[in-house]
Amino acid sequence: MIPKVFKEVIDLGDGREISIETGKLAKQAHGSVVVQSGNCMLLCTVVSNYKQADVDFLPLTVDYREKFAAAGRYPGGFFKREARPSDGEVLTMRLVDRVLRPLFPKDYHAETQVMIQLMSHDDDVMPEAMAGLAASAAIQLSDFPFECAISEARVARVNGEFVINPTRTQLEESDLEMMIGASADSVMMVEGEMDEISEEEMADAIKFAHEAIKVQIAAQLRLAEAFGKKEVREYATAEVNEDLQKRIHDLAYDKCYAIAKKGTSKAERTAAFAEVKEEVKASFTEEEMEEFGHLVGGYYSKAEKEAVRELTLSEGLRLDGRKTDEIRPIWCEVDYLPSTHGSSIFTRGETQALATVTLGTSRDANKIDMPSYEGEENFYLHYNFPPFCTGEARPLRGTSRREVGHGNLAQRGLKGMIPADCPYTVRVVSEVLESNGSSSMATVCAGTMALMDAGVKMKRPVSGIAMGLISDGDRYAVLSDILGDEDHLGDMDFKVTGTSEGITACQMDIKIKGLSYEILVNALKQAREGRLHILGKITDTISAPAEDVKSHAPKMVTRRIPNEFIGALIGPGGKVIQEMQKETGTTIVINEDPVTEEGIVEILGTAQDGIDAVLAKIDSLLFKPEKGSVYEVKVIKMLDFGAVVEYVEAPGNEVLLHVSELAWERTENVTDVVNMGDVFDVKYFGVDPRTRKEKVSRKALLPKPEGYVERAPRENNDRGGRDNRGRDNRGRDNRRDDRKPREDKKED
């Protein structure tokens, strides 16, 4: 018996719909929904343990997986089973986690899992845009202590019009693409990339997406109401001691304010704050610490946070002594590493990134193999954040989700400035060597300089900046180039990358409700001033891309050849191309244009001579002599009936120069006229209709000898006595009369 199913439908306004259904699948989960648009179906389940974990944080896991069966495909690799999540899946997990996590109570520490999986794929639907909707809808059906429903939506601008949850085809035509996460009254998360847009245009896109999100939230609430809203579960809430909190505040606040106002370095103020904390602890007796010592640390941290925030709001000063719009000192350097194709160092305050660039062929493209998308990236960036960059020692467990997310943001900020006709596959790697505030934006700046150092012809240089916001409702301060500490104590942190012309990428996490769009636009404009200041430091170091790649870096030349010549260039079993690569010291890659079906030949090599040799071979392969034209040839082989000559301008292209075309006089021996290695001109006559072979002539370019008499052409019947043997006389009447009849070999 099929259980009762509850369903709500969201109209996207352009003929498309999203449905949310519950009651049929995964009923033992604390909440489960199936979200569907077209043939795309996501199953989301949520479970949270009833027992609090013995930790002081929320152990929330958001897991998003795309099943290959959803697209009717097998997983790649030797083991035909989905394994570790792809970067695309990790990025979707981060997008959902960033919106959900702040809405759980700070004292809720139960192990919680949100699992979203793609069960059916539709080429016209991008599933990750519905992951946040699915997660929130499932939570609304549970008994979790969760502040309010949220949703996420992708917004793009196609031909000047905003579109919600566009298709991948529409996305390719857009100049703006962002994922927005919001509740009904507040925007909470923004992440995306743009084609050098203005701050006002970005705000308009956020507003448009927020209106669509409100509709999705209303559908969730209707579904929960129809299904039967559960009572919120009870859990062991955090102990509150207001007297203790006030006592610690009075002991610590003024001291923390004074330390924050000194404008010291990270190490100095960390030590000073730690000393105040120890003084606070020392003010309590052993009995008091035994009774409520577990609350002291949290109350002290709250007092420290309040002091630092008040310093900024009341005096406009920050932890390191800067004003709110002041950028830390910057120094840059390019061409630091001698063996890389491009390198740079970008240092801003106590944050430092070392970037390298490697140039390759299409064979080096980053392959993306997901059920929802297959493709290649010819520009990609990898970001590494080792423990030593923050002065820590911790286990190394492979690439973290944070590294994937920060690298993706930097990549999105830069990729729009890589020209479409860049012949290379470009890989940028950022090694974060020091970190105290926005190493991802330092990566953008270092990446820009390394790309220009490598000779990549960027449209315009890109810079990035991390911003913060502190507000108490009546007052607010926008902070440029935030520190790591300011990232935690602020009400909004956002990162913006862009050129002198506009924004190329952004990432925002907004922690306060009802942030006005006026404040948002003002914050973005202050970010623009900071970006341009940093951009000036970059261009002072390297003003334009290098004219050419470095001497040890590979040069890239691309040629197109007709489809019918691809096989000849490769040769049987790849023999021709392999020998060519070995002889010239180059790497040759041949792809086929899916539209024109032409061959695209990529030639990569450090020595120009080797590249030129490959180009000469291609020119030779494509060489087609024109009828009536004169060409210089070289004798490469001697035969009894002529000489094999090679076109000088197209080595490898050979043609037979018949003995009768050597000279006007009768030539008995070929060597009487030409010898091996001789170079001379011949005239090309095209294909001889009689021999069906190409015909060239040396004598046609020579003057006729005096008294030369042209030999009369032979007549068709000058072979007398052969009439009865001609092809037209094959009747049996010509059989010899005296021929005896055939006798049977075997008698009965």
Side-chain angles (χ1 to χ4, degrees), residues 311-458:
L311 173 69
T312 302
L313 287 172
S314 61
E315 300 190 46
L317 295 176
R318 299 160 65 179
L319 283 168
D320 57 357
R322 285 182 293 149
K323 296 179 180 178
T324 56
D325 61 351
E326 194 174 346
I327 310 297
R328 288 174 289 176
I330 294 171
W331 68 265
C332 313
E333 183 178 337
V334 296
D335 198 21
Y336 178 72
L337 301 174
S339 298
T340 61
H341 298 164
S343 65
S344 73
I345 303 171
F346 178 84
T347 306
R348 183 189 60 234
E350 295 174 296
T351 297
Q352 184 179 76
L354 170 65
T356 60
V357 168
T358 307
L359 306 176
T361 68
S362 60
R363 190 181 295 166
D364 302 304
N366 185 35
K367 304 292 190 298
I368 301 174
D369 184 22
M370 297 175 63
S372 61
Y373 178 66
E374 294 178 86
E376 293 182 345
E377 290 178 328
N378 291 319
F379 172 78
Y380 51 100
L381 185 149
H382 292 148
Y383 164 101
N384 297 316
F385 192 87
F388 67 77
C389 72
T390 54
E392 297 174 278
R394 61 175 183 267
L396 300 176
R397 304 191 187 280
T399 306
S400 68
R401 293 186 178 187
R402 181 184 182 279
E403 288 172 308
V404 172
H406 281 48
N408 179 68
L409 175 61
Q411 177 177 322
R412 299 178 87 176
L414 290 169
K415 74 176 184 181
M417 292 299 106
I418 306 298
D421 60 356
C422 177
Y424 295 99
T425 289
V426 181
R427 180 186 185 226
V428 179
V429 178
S430 172
E431 304 289 348
V432 179
L433 306 182
E434 299 178 38
S435 181
N436 182 16
S438 191
S439 53
S440 63
M441 296 297 95
T443 292
V444 171
C445 300
T448 291
M449 293 189 295
L451 286 164
M452 292 198 290
D453 179 51
V456 176
K457 308 302 181 186
M458 295 184 72

Side-chain angles (χ1 to χ4, degrees), residues 616-722:
K617 177 67 176 178
I618 294 174
D619 289 338
S620 174
L621 183 69
L622 301 179
F623 176 74
K624 291 183 179 180
E626 297 182 5
K627 189 174 181 179
S629 297
V630 176
Y631 297 95
E632 189 176 47
V633 296
K634 179 181 180 180
V635 178
I636 60 171
K637 189 183 295 185
M638 303 292 289
L639 303 172
D640 292 340
F641 49 87
V644 178
V645 296
E646 179 183 68
Y647 294 99
V648 172
E649 65 180 272
N653 273 268
E654 305 169 359
V655 65
L656 175 66
L657 175 59
H658 195 266
V659 65
S660 62
E661 297 296 332
L662 286 172
W664 291 104
E665 299 88 352
R666 180 178 178 82
T667 303
E668 295 294 339
N669 297 308
V670 177
T671 52
D672 293 342
V673 180
V674 297
N675 288 290
M676 283 287 292
D678 286 355
V679 178
F680 48 84
D681 290 340
V682 295
K683 186 174 183 179
Y684 181 74
F685 286 95
V687 177
D688 189 327
R690 185 172 62 86
T691 64
R692 300 183 184 279
K693 295 181 179 180
E694 290 183 301
K695 178 182 176 181
V696 294
S697 175
R698 176 178 177 271
K699 73 177 185 181
L701 301 177
L702 301 174
K704 290 183 181 180
E706 196 172 332
Y708 177 80
V709 179
E710 192 85 37
R711 187 194 306 178
R714 293 177 177 176
E715 296 181 5
N716 292 335
N717 60 352
D718 60 354
R719 294 187 180 183
R722 301 181 64 87

Side-chain angles (χ1 to χ4, degrees), residues 471-500:
S471 173
D472 64 0
D474 299 321
R475 301 172 296 170
Y476 76 90
V478 179
L479 312 180
S480 297
D481 180 25
I482 59 174
L483 302 169
D485 292 338
E486 292 172 331
D487 190 0
H488 299 296
L489 61 85
D491 298 313
M492 176 174 75
D493 59 83
F494 61 105
K495 304 175 180 68
V496 187
T497 73
T499 68
S500 57

Side-chain angles (χ1 to χ4, degrees), residues 135-155:
S136 177
I139 292 174
Q140 293 307 301
L141 302 176
S142 74
D143 61 350
F144 299 177
F146 193 73
E147 185 174 329
C148 60
I150 60 94
S151 192
E152 294 180 349
R154 174 178 276 116
V155 59

Side-chain angles (χ1 to χ4, degrees), residues 163-236:
V163 180
I164 292 295
N165 292 358
T167 65
R168 196 172 295 278
T169 301
Q170 289 176 313
L171 207 56
E172 291 172 354
E173 300 171 356
S174 69
D175 64 349
L176 174 155
E177 180 260 312
M178 290 192 291
M179 285 289 292
I180 314 296
S183 64
D185 57 1
S186 298
V187 174
M188 304 170 67
M189 183 277 297
V190 178
E191 181 164 324
E193 61 185 82
M194 308 87 180
D195 187 11
E196 298 180 290
I197 67 169
S198 68
E199 289 75 14
E200 290 80 5
E201 288 174 305
M202 179 173 163
D204 288 342
I206 295 172
K207 289 179 185 178
F208 185 82
H210 194 190
E211 292 305 313
I213 285 172
K214 291 176 183 178
V215 176
Q216 297 179 11
I217 290 172
Q220 295 178 46
L221 298 179
R222 291 196 304 271
L223 182 69
E225 189 67 30
F227 180 74
K229 184 66 176 174
K230 299 177 182 177
E231 290 291 328
V232 176
R233 68 173 62 174
E234 294 183 0
Y235 66 96

